């Protein structure tokens, strides 16, 4: 029974990694579609979000079954409870990628990116893709050195998000109302994506260390020795 239990825990981790990989694909496609007005690619993201949702539900059901049947304690309990919370964050990250794709579809055949903000949104998309890749690696390996990198990416996105607001609220902004709405929504989605990633990173750090902190700066990385 103990062997079956540990196999179930390994299955939980494997499923989290799988969902994170799908989220990475989703944000890669969504940001590319947003930058190029590729409505076909945007449609793919929208349709494939259902797969992420289904896998998240299946993972939650597995976690609940483990809680009910195995009644885990200590670290094992932390793994299962954290998996439920991480699953919710990953599912939300998939939803954010879908929202970006929906903006692309809504504005087609026009470009969803307002004039003057292309380079900013391109950079935000690149950072989010890297965030998703690093998060997948973190879930796979529990390499806590990635936590600090994710936090640094989040700070860069916060700065870029602020720059978008400064642009659309500036005296030189000539965008129409729809462009202003698109810019603020897209910026918020891209910034929020990394917020969820850092939230997951904190939970992984909690699993690895047993200590909970709301500040990634306070996370102590165990020495390799």
């Amino acid at each position: 029974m103990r062997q079956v239990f540990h196999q179930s825990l390994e299955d939980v981790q494997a499923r989290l990694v799988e969902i994170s990989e799908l989220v990475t694909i989703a944000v890669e496609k969504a940001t590319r579609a947003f930058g190029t007005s590729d409505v076909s690619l945007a449609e793919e993201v929208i349709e494939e979000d259902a797969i992420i949702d289904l896998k998240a539900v299946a993972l939650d059901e597995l976690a609940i079954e483990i809680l009910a049947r195995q009644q885990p304690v200590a670290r094992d309990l932390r793994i299962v409870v954290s998996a439920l919370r991480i699953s919710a964050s990953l599912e939300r990250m998939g939803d954010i990628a879908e929202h970006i794709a929906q903006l692309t579809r809504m504005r087609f055949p026009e470009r969803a990116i307002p004039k003057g903000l292309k380079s900013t949104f391109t950079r935000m998309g690149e950072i989010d893709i890297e965030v998703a890749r690093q998060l997948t690696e973190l879930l796979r390996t529990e390499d806590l050195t990635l936590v600090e990198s994710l936090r640094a990416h989040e700070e860069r996105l916060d700065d870029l998000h602020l720059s978008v607001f400064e642009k659309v609220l500036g005296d030189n902004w000539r965008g129409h109302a729809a462009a202003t709405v698109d810019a603020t929504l897209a910026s918020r989605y891209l910034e929020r994506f990394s917020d969820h990633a850092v939230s997951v990173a904190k939970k992984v750090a909690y699993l690895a260390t047993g200590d909970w902190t709301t500040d990634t700066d306070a996370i102590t990385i165990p020495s390799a020795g």
Side-chain angles (χ1 to χ4, degrees):
M1 286 298 294
R2 193 67 184 169
Q3 183 178 0
V4 171
F5 174 54
H6 281 292
Q7 287 176 345
S8 297
L9 292 181
E10 290 174 4
D11 190 16
V12 166
Q13 180 182 13
R15 292 190 190 203
L16 285 174
V17 171
E18 180 187 17
I19 296 169
S20 188
E21 288 172 340
L22 291 174
V23 169
T24 301
I25 293 170
V27 77
E28 286 175 343
K29 288 183 176 181
T31 53
R32 187 162 75 248
F34 187 67
T36 61
S37 296
D38 187 336
V39 71
S40 296
L41 194 58
E43 291 285 0
E44 285 184 24
V45 177
I46 294 167
E47 292 174 4
E48 291 168 2
D49 184 61
I51 298 173
I52 295 174
D53 293 345
L54 287 172
K55 288 186 177 295
V57 169
L59 173 57
D60 291 350
E61 290 176 346
L62 173 60
I64 291 170
E65 181 180 350
I66 292 172
L67 287 172
R69 292 179 178 272
Q70 303 294 338
Q71 298 180 354
V73 296
R75 175 178 163 81
D76 292 340
L77 179 60
R78 293 202 304 269
I79 290 172
V80 179
V81 173
S82 294
L84 287 166
R85 300 177 68 187
I86 290 171
S87 171
S89 291
L90 290 173
E91 190 271 336
R92 184 59 185 142
M93 290 169 74
D95 287 344
I96 289 172
E98 181 190 17
H99 293 335
I100 295 168
Q102 287 173 339
L103 277 178
T104 303
R105 183 175 66 178
M106 182 172 62
R107 294 302 173 203
F108 184 79
E110 302 297 327
R111 285 187 175 272
I113 297 180
K115 186 177 180 180
L117 287 171
K118 183 174 178 57
S119 62
T120 300
F121 279 115
T122 298
R123 183 58 186 144
M124 293 181 82
E126 290 171 348
I127 294 173
D128 268 345
I129 291 169
E130 184 60 24
V131 162
R133 290 172 178 169
Q134 289 189 1
L135 184 61
T136 301
E137 185 66 13
L138 175 62
L139 288 168
R140 181 182 290 113
T141 65
E142 289 191 6
D143 178 1
L144 297 189
T145 61
L146 292 167
V147 176
E148 175 60 23
S149 179
L150 286 165
R151 189 192 66 79
H153 285 318
E154 181 192 31
E155 290 183 352
R156 294 186 189 101
L157 281 163
D158 287 343
D159 291 341
L160 289 167
H161 180 50
L162 179 60
S163 75
V164 171
F165 272 81
E166 291 174 343
K167 178 79 171 181
V168 300
L169 294 175
D171 294 336
N172 296 326
W173 176 249
R174 296 292 180 268
H176 49 74
T180 303
V181 171
D182 288 348
T184 53
L185 276 177
S187 181
R188 177 56 176 159
Y189 292 149
L190 291 164
E191 183 266 342
R192 188 61 179 151
F193 187 90
S194 70
D195 287 346
H196 283 289
V198 169
S199 177
V200 171
K202 291 176 183 177
K203 295 177 179 66
V204 175
Y206 168 66
L207 282 176
T209 65
D211 294 327
W212 176 256
T213 175
T214 57
D215 182 2
T216 51
D217 288 332
I219 293 172
T220 300
I221 308 300
S223 62

Tab-separated table of all heavy atoms in Angstrom, residues 119-139:
chain	number	residue	atom	x	y	z
A	119	SER	N	6.805	47.045	-29.136
A	119	SER	CA	8.037	46.550	-28.516
A	119	SER	C	7.818	46.184	-27.046
A	119	SER	O	8.377	45.197	-26.559
A	119	SER	CB	9.151	47.591	-28.633
A	119	SER	OG	8.802	48.783	-27.942
A	120	THR	N	6.976	46.955	-26.362
A	120	THR	CA	6.692	46.668	-24.957
A	120	THR	C	5.969	45.345	-24.808
A	120	THR	O	6.337	44.496	-23.976
A	120	THR	CB	5.840	47.788	-24.333
A	120	THR	OG1	6.550	49.016	-24.421
A	120	THR	CG2	5.530	47.486	-22.867
A	121	PHE	N	4.939	45.132	-25.633
A	121	PHE	CA	4.181	43.887	-25.527
A	121	PHE	C	4.988	42.685	-26.018
A	121	PHE	O	4.827	41.573	-25.497
A	121	PHE	CB	2.865	43.998	-26.288
A	121	PHE	CG	1.795	44.720	-25.515
A	121	PHE	CD1	1.293	45.935	-25.944
A	121	PHE	CD2	1.315	44.192	-24.331
A	121	PHE	CE1	0.319	46.608	-25.219
A	121	PHE	CE2	0.343	44.856	-23.596
A	121	PHE	CZ	-0.159	46.069	-24.048
A	122	THR	N	5.851	42.905	-26.999
A	122	THR	CA	6.727	41.819	-27.440
A	122	THR	C	7.619	41.365	-26.295
A	122	THR	O	7.781	40.166	-26.047
A	122	THR	CB	7.594	42.270	-28.623
A	122	THR	OG1	6.750	42.603	-29.730
A	122	THR	CG2	8.560	41.167	-29.041
A	123	ARG	N	8.187	42.336	-25.577
A	123	ARG	CA	9.069	42.001	-24.451
A	123	ARG	C	8.284	41.328	-23.328
A	123	ARG	O	8.757	40.352	-22.727
A	123	ARG	CB	9.754	43.263	-23.923
A	123	ARG	CG	10.744	42.999	-22.798
A	123	ARG	CD	11.815	42.044	-23.239
A	123	ARG	NE	12.700	41.668	-22.149
A	123	ARG	CZ	13.228	40.469	-22.008
A	123	ARG	NH1	12.950	39.501	-22.889
A	123	ARG	NH2	14.049	40.212	-21.013
A	124	MET	N	7.090	41.809	-23.036
A	124	MET	CA	6.271	41.187	-21.990
A	124	MET	C	5.955	39.738	-22.355
A	124	MET	O	6.005	38.844	-21.494
A	124	MET	CB	4.983	41.973	-21.775
A	124	MET	CG	5.193	43.357	-21.177
A	124	MET	SD	3.647	44.277	-20.896
A	124	MET	CE	3.133	43.569	-19.309
A	125	GLY	N	5.644	39.498	-23.607
A	125	GLY	CA	5.351	38.134	-24.045
A	125	GLY	C	6.565	37.229	-23.920
A	125	GLY	O	6.450	36.076	-23.486
A	126	GLU	N	7.729	37.750	-24.285
A	126	GLU	CA	8.957	36.959	-24.175
A	126	GLU	C	9.235	36.578	-22.722
A	126	GLU	O	9.641	35.443	-22.441
A	126	GLU	CB	10.129	37.764	-24.738
A	126	GLU	CG	10.085	37.943	-26.251
A	126	GLU	CD	11.132	38.923	-26.748
A	126	GLU	OE1	11.739	39.648	-25.912
A	126	GLU	OE2	11.337	38.994	-27.972
A	127	ILE	N	9.035	37.518	-21.824
A	127	ILE	CA	9.279	37.239	-20.405
A	127	ILE	C	8.294	36.196	-19.883
A	127	ILE	O	8.670	35.272	-19.149
A	127	ILE	CB	9.193	38.531	-19.572
A	127	ILE	CG1	10.333	39.479	-19.955
A	127	ILE	CG2	9.264	38.209	-18.077
A	127	ILE	CD1	10.238	40.845	-19.299
A	128	ASP	N	7.025	36.312	-20.271
A	128	ASP	CA	6.033	35.344	-19.804
A	128	ASP	C	6.348	33.938	-20.306
A	128	ASP	O	6.133	32.949	-19.584
A	128	ASP	CB	4.630	35.757	-20.245
A	128	ASP	CG	3.925	36.619	-19.207
A	128	ASP	OD1	4.393	36.650	-18.057
A	128	ASP	OD2	2.915	37.246	-19.540
A	129	ILE	N	6.838	33.833	-21.524
A	129	ILE	CA	7.217	32.513	-22.042
A	129	ILE	C	8.357	31.929	-21.211
A	129	ILE	O	8.334	30.749	-20.838
A	129	ILE	CB	7.615	32.611	-23.533
A	129	ILE	CG1	6.386	32.924	-24.393
A	129	ILE	CG2	8.269	31.309	-24.000
A	129	ILE	CD1	6.719	33.296	-25.824
A	130	GLU	N	9.344	32.748	-20.900
A	130	GLU	CA	10.455	32.284	-20.077
A	130	GLU	C	9.977	31.924	-18.671
A	130	GLU	O	10.447	30.949	-18.069
A	130	GLU	CB	11.550	33.351	-20.011
A	130	GLU	CG	12.793	32.934	-19.250
A	130	GLU	CD	13.474	31.713	-19.833
A	130	GLU	OE1	13.298	31.430	-21.046
A	130	GLU	OE2	14.181	31.018	-19.079
A	131	VAL	N	9.048	32.704	-18.136
A	131	VAL	CA	8.463	32.403	-16.828
A	131	VAL	C	7.812	31.019	-16.848
A	131	VAL	O	8.013	30.205	-15.936
A	131	VAL	CB	7.422	33.479	-16.444
A	131	VAL	CG1	6.499	32.981	-15.344
A	131	VAL	CG2	8.124	34.756	-15.993
A	132	ALA	N	7.038	30.748	-17.884
A	132	ALA	CA	6.350	29.458	-17.979
A	132	ALA	C	7.347	28.314	-18.085
A	132	ALA	O	7.168	27.253	-17.462
A	132	ALA	CB	5.407	29.458	-19.175
A	133	ARG	N	8.400	28.509	-18.848
A	133	ARG	CA	9.412	27.456	-19.000
A	133	ARG	C	10.131	27.193	-17.679
A	133	ARG	O	10.351	26.040	-17.302
A	133	ARG	CB	10.409	27.856	-20.084
A	133	ARG	CG	9.824	27.833	-21.498
A	133	ARG	CD	10.792	28.417	-22.505
A	133	ARG	NE	10.260	28.364	-23.874
A	133	ARG	CZ	10.810	28.984	-24.911
A	133	ARG	NH1	11.915	29.705	-24.736
A	133	ARG	NH2	10.268	28.884	-26.110
A	134	GLN	N	10.505	28.264	-16.997
A	134	GLN	CA	11.206	28.095	-15.727
A	134	GLN	C	10.298	27.476	-14.666
A	134	GLN	O	10.755	26.679	-13.837
A	134	GLN	CB	11.751	29.437	-15.242
A	134	GLN	CG	12.915	29.947	-16.070
A	134	GLN	CD	13.580	31.161	-15.452
A	134	GLN	OE1	13.207	31.638	-14.385
A	134	GLN	NE2	14.576	31.699	-16.143
A	135	LEU	N	9.031	27.834	-14.694
A	135	LEU	CA	8.098	27.265	-13.729
A	135	LEU	C	7.953	25.759	-13.948
A	135	LEU	O	7.910	24.983	-12.984
A	135	LEU	CB	6.733	27.943	-13.839
A	135	LEU	CG	5.698	27.487	-12.817
A	135	LEU	CD1	6.168	27.790	-11.400
A	135	LEU	CD2	4.344	28.149	-13.077
A	136	THR	N	7.887	25.343	-15.205
A	136	THR	CA	7.808	23.912	-15.504
A	136	THR	C	9.038	23.188	-14.971
A	136	THR	O	8.934	22.112	-14.365
A	136	THR	CB	7.686	23.690	-17.022
A	136	THR	OG1	6.508	24.350	-17.512
A	136	THR	CG2	7.588	22.204	-17.348
A	137	GLU	N	10.205	23.779	-15.167
A	137	GLU	CA	11.440	23.181	-14.668
A	137	GLU	C	11.450	23.128	-13.140
A	137	GLU	O	11.913	22.150	-12.540
A	137	GLU	CB	12.643	23.969	-15.189
A	137	GLU	CG	13.991	23.370	-14.833
A	137	GLU	CD	14.242	22.024	-15.498
A	137	GLU	OE1	13.501	21.647	-16.430
A	137	GLU	OE2	15.197	21.336	-15.067
A	138	LEU	N	10.934	24.166	-12.518
A	138	LEU	CA	10.851	24.189	-11.057
A	138	LEU	C	9.948	23.071	-10.543
A	138	LEU	O	10.278	22.381	-9.572
A	138	LEU	CB	10.332	25.548	-10.583
A	138	LEU	CG	10.082	25.708	-9.078
A	138	LEU	CD1	11.378	25.534	-8.294
A	138	LEU	CD2	9.458	27.070	-8.782
A	139	LEU	N	8.820	22.879	-11.177
A	139	LEU	CA	7.901	21.816	-10.769
A	139	LEU	C	8.515	20.437	-10.998
A	139	LEU	O	8.258	19.504	-10.233
A	139	LEU	CB	6.591	21.935	-11.541
A	139	LEU	CG	5.684	23.106	-11.147
A	139	LEU	CD1	4.573	23.288	-12.178
A	139	LEU	CD2	5.090	22.889	-9.764
